[in-house]
Amino acid sequence: MANNNDSNKPVALKAEFTFGNNTAEKDPLLLTYFYESPEALALLKHRKLLAVGRKGSGKSALRIWLEDQLRREDKVVVLSQAEFESLKMKFLLGEKSEEHFKLAAKAVWHAGIMMEALRACDENYIQPNDGETIKNDLALRQIIKDSQAISTSVVDRFVSFLKSVKKVGIAGLGEIELDENQRPTKDAFTRLLHISQTPHVKSFCERHLRRRGMTILVDDVDADWVSTKENAQFILALIEVLSGLRTNIQGLSATLLISDDVYRKVIDGYRHRDKLKDDVLKLRWSADHLKAMVAKRICYHLDKEMSDQDAWDYVFPGTVASMPIVQYVVQHTIQRPRDVLDILRLALDHAKARQPLRLEEMDFVRATQENASELLDNIDAEFSSLYPRFAQVTKELLNEMQTQLNVVEFKRTIETRLISFDQTLVDVVDKAWATGGEPESLLHVFFELGIVGIGRSREEARWSFLGHASDHTQDEVVFMNRAFDDILKTRA
């Protein structure tokens, strides 16, 4: 479809035109123009345990959409854990062994999530006919009443739940013992880890879930969570608990939305990682899907029905820097919805300085430069706080990219700087890629690889990286191998 003017320029837009809020939780129209990607529909249909995607890949938006869709059939419980729970775990445990911490972490998650599940069931309580069951129900409902959520912290909820259970008791659970410091003993944590398997609790849940299923959604698990070994163990405990509850309680489903860097760090060395493969959905965005996502927002705000291409032609210039507009926008991002929308919003802000309001080529050139700078600042700040030694190594590379417009140009810049180059390793990586892989961003891989190299020997770091090679494209792997040599040379 041609644009609606003779000069073939983008249409003039009204001042209130927008591409939406850059924070999913703050966008009141999100559900109206949410793009139902193949991954979103697959997650809704198959209810995978884990939805794994990069920061900015739309996990929070997906969680909001899933919650809306699932509420039509299920009771939905949303948990959003943003606190550094391991600090509270240490206070709860005192100085205990690593194994004790792992056991306690699973018990805390198990009890905390079961508390939410029981509370949801209690909202639609059905009284049975059996007197003994009614008696046990009364005790369980008293625990639910006494241990109302007092904060967003699962550890705080666990402590509240623990006090109530110790006071009232749960049929079949046994005595909950505390040590001389009033902390749960190892036996107490073991008992609390099996709450869902006690006959009465299991019956209480399934009795209500037969009428209406329940889905637990856990969001807001990002890089802050793996700043310590304990935090990584805490997340792994959450994954194991959610998996177990899905198996043990009929009618209960659970999905954890987690950033891929956190996921990889958490399961690194996990002995049962192969068992998770079939229950993981990776959130990927192709250029066509990003194009469709934007088109849906354009059509809504213009109140027009158009194809994806027609929507872009209607609002945007046909080319920027001699490239088709879609290709230009996608290439100047790391293929995430957040980055694409950020560039479009920045371009729109520049266009609003003129009348009539019409998006032009120069708006996108300025927007991509600003977005690249902001993106690098964010990445630099995030990784510098977690890995101070790596920050100094990458400082010069970051400064160089500030002047580049896209990752392809950055790749060429880095390549001209590299001194050492191991062709044998590249051949090995090529073979690893030949087994199959999925595209990732150069920047994401670059920083991940730098992290792998911190505190490890050259060979340990190399082979650790090769373990992730199949996640990346051949060009990216080759590029990262060269950058890796440069990083190690700088460290030496």
Side-chain angles (χ1 to χ4, degrees):
M1 183 186 86
N3 288 321
N4 66 338
N5 51 65
D6 295 336
S7 61
N8 204 34
K9 289 183 178 181
V11 68
L13 301 170
K14 294 182 179 180
E16 60 269 22
F17 182 85
T18 176
F19 291 107
N21 196 295
N22 60 357
T23 302
E25 293 86 348
K26 297 179 181 179
D27 192 340
L29 297 173
L30 177 68
L31 293 174
T32 304
Y33 46 55
F34 179 84
Y35 173 62
E36 297 179 357
S37 67
E39 288 81 5
L41 295 173
L43 188 59
L44 179 63
K45 180 178 180 180
H46 301 295
R47 311 286 180 88
K48 295 286 187 179
L49 172 64
L50 298 165
V52 181
R54 289 175 293 177
K55 271 190 171 183
S57 61
K59 294 187 297 297
S60 293
L62 177 57
R63 190 266 301 162
I64 293 169
W65 176 78
L66 276 173
E67 183 180 354
D68 177 72
Q69 295 292 310
L70 293 171
R71 283 197 190 282
R72 302 173 190 185
E73 298 180 3
D74 290 3
K75 172 68 179 179
V76 180
V77 176
V78 178
L79 301 178
S80 183
Q81 303 296 332
E83 297 190 35
F84 288 93
E85 300 286 359
S86 67
L87 298 177
K88 293 186 177 183
M89 283 292 295
K90 288 180 179 179
F91 180 79
L92 178 67
L93 289 171
E95 296 298 325
K96 299 292 184 180
S97 67
E98 182 175 326
E99 287 303 312
H100 195 111
F101 182 92
K102 291 178 180 178
L103 171 65
K106 286 195 282 189
V108 166
W109 276 118
H110 187 91
I113 292 173
M114 279 307 303
M115 189 67 254
E116 296 301 323
L118 289 168
R119 183 177 293 114
C121 289
D122 188 55
E123 290 176 2
N124 298 295
Y125 178 69
I126 304 171
Q127 182 168 306
N129 296 322
D130 177 68
E132 185 65 23
T133 302
I134 293 175
K135 178 182 175 182
N136 290 331
D137 278 2
L138 287 173
L140 198 54
R141 298 185 77 194
Q142 185 62 47
I143 291 172
I144 295 169
K145 181 180 178 181
D146 290 347
S147 55
Q148 295 293 322
I150 57 176
S151 78
T152 60
S153 166
V154 70
V155 179
D156 288 345
R157 291 201 296 269
F158 170 79
V159 172
S160 174
F161 180 64
L162 177 67
K163 292 178 180 178
S164 185
V165 169
K166 186 165 179 57
K167 175 183 175 182
V168 179
I170 293 179
L173 185 63
E175 181 68 21
I176 301 299
E177 298 179 354
L178 303 179
D179 63 17
E180 63 276 9
N181 296 311
Q182 295 302 298
R183 295 185 174 111
T185 64
K186 186 175 181 179
D187 177 73
F189 279 124
T190 301
R191 290 179 184 277
L192 291 166
L193 182 55
H194 295 92
I195 291 173
S196 65
Q197 296 177 35
T198 59
H200 183 65
V201 170
K202 186 178 178 71
S203 170
F204 184 89
C205 288
E206 293 184 348
R207 193 189 323 151
H208 295 86
L209 295 180
R210 278 195 293 268
R211 298 177 66 232
R212 189 183 185 192
M214 180 183 301
T215 299
I216 297 170
L217 298 176
V218 186
D219 191 10
D220 202 18
V221 179
D222 58 27
D224 289 342
W225 278 70
V226 286
S227 56
T228 67
K229 183 178 181 179
E230 289 84 2
N231 276 8
Q233 291 173 342
F234 201 67
I235 300 173
L236 182 57
L238 170 60
I239 293 173
E240 292 181 313
V241 166
L242 291 176
S243 178
L245 289 175
R246 283 160 51 104
T247 301
N248 294 335
I249 298 182
Q250 187 176 359
L252 187 147
S253 179
T255 295
L256 168 64
L257 297 101
I258 184 171
S259 62
D260 61 350
D261 54 341
V262 173
Y263 174 68
R264 281 196 295 269
K265 195 163 185 177
V266 165
I267 67 167
D268 184 31
Y270 179 47
R271 60 182 178 177
H272 301 304
R273 61 188 301 172
D274 288 343
K275 294 181 180 179
L276 293 175
K277 286 183 178 179
D278 293 336
D279 224 352
V280 175
L281 178 70
K282 292 188 176 182
L283 306 178
R284 306 294 187 189
W285 285 86
S286 68
D288 286 341
H289 292 156
L290 291 168
K291 178 180 176 180
M293 174 201 68
V294 173
K296 193 161 186 179
R297 294 175 180 234
I298 292 172
C299 290
Y300 171 78
H301 286 294
L302 295 180
D303 195 21
K304 289 180 176 290
E305 291 186 10
M306 294 180 281
S307 69
D308 297 342
Q309 186 60 53
D310 286 346
W312 278 68
D313 289 342
Y314 197 75
V315 172
F316 303 127
T319 60
V320 177
S322 301
M323 278 190 286
I325 180 64
V326 176
Q327 180 184 343
Y328 180 88
V329 170
V330 171
Q331 183 169 313
H332 287 74
T333 68
I334 48 180
Q335 213 147 319
R336 304 180 303 185
R338 178 188 296 171
D339 301 321
V340 170
L341 291 172
D342 281 346
I343 285 180
L344 298 182
R345 292 188 191 100
L346 286 169
L348 184 62
D349 287 343
H350 288 301
K352 286 181 176 178
R354 302 184 305 272
Q355 289 297 327
L357 198 171
R358 180 179 283 116
L359 284 159
E360 298 179 0
E361 181 176 1
M362 62 180 178
D363 298 321
F364 286 90
V365 173
R366 294 172 65 185
T368 50
Q369 290 173 329
E370 293 173 11
N371 186 66
S373 177
E374 182 178 345
L375 178 63
L376 285 169
D377 287 343
N378 291 340
I379 293 175
D380 192 22
E382 177 182 339
F383 284 89
S384 293
S385 64
L386 297 178
Y387 306 95
R389 292 170 59 195
F390 181 59
Q392 184 61 37
V393 174
T394 59
K395 184 177 180 180
E396 182 180 347
L397 303 181
L398 287 169
N399 288 339
E400 287 196 18
M401 186 166 177
Q402 295 283 2
T403 63
Q404 304 299 325
L405 295 182
N406 59 60
V407 292
V408 175
E409 293 173 10
F410 181 48
K411 175 176 180 288
R412 296 193 188 104
T413 301
I414 296 299
E415 287 176 338
T416 62
R417 295 186 61 257
L418 297 174
I419 300 172
S420 59
F421 179 66
D422 185 344
Q423 184 60 48
T424 301
L425 181 59
V426 173
D427 292 340
V428 173
V429 175
D430 286 347
K431 291 178 181 178
W433 162 250
T435 62
E438 295 171 327
E440 279 278 7
S441 76
L442 289 171
L443 281 177
H444 180 81
V445 182
F446 174 72
F447 282 101
E448 177 188 62
L449 184 55
I451 290 168
V452 168
I454 294 302
R456 301 191 184 189
S457 72
R458 186 182 183 92
E459 286 307 307
E460 286 176 332
R462 279 195 190 282
W463 289 107
S464 180
F465 169 61
L466 287 175
H468 297 306
S470 62
D471 286 338
H472 314 303
T473 67
Q474 181 177 354
D475 285 344
E476 289 165 351
V477 170
V478 171
F479 163 62
M480 288 317 309
N481 170 63
R482 296 177 182 179
F484 182 60
D485 277 335
D486 196 46
I487 290 170
L488 290 179
K489 187 173 182 65
T490 305
R491 284 181 60 205

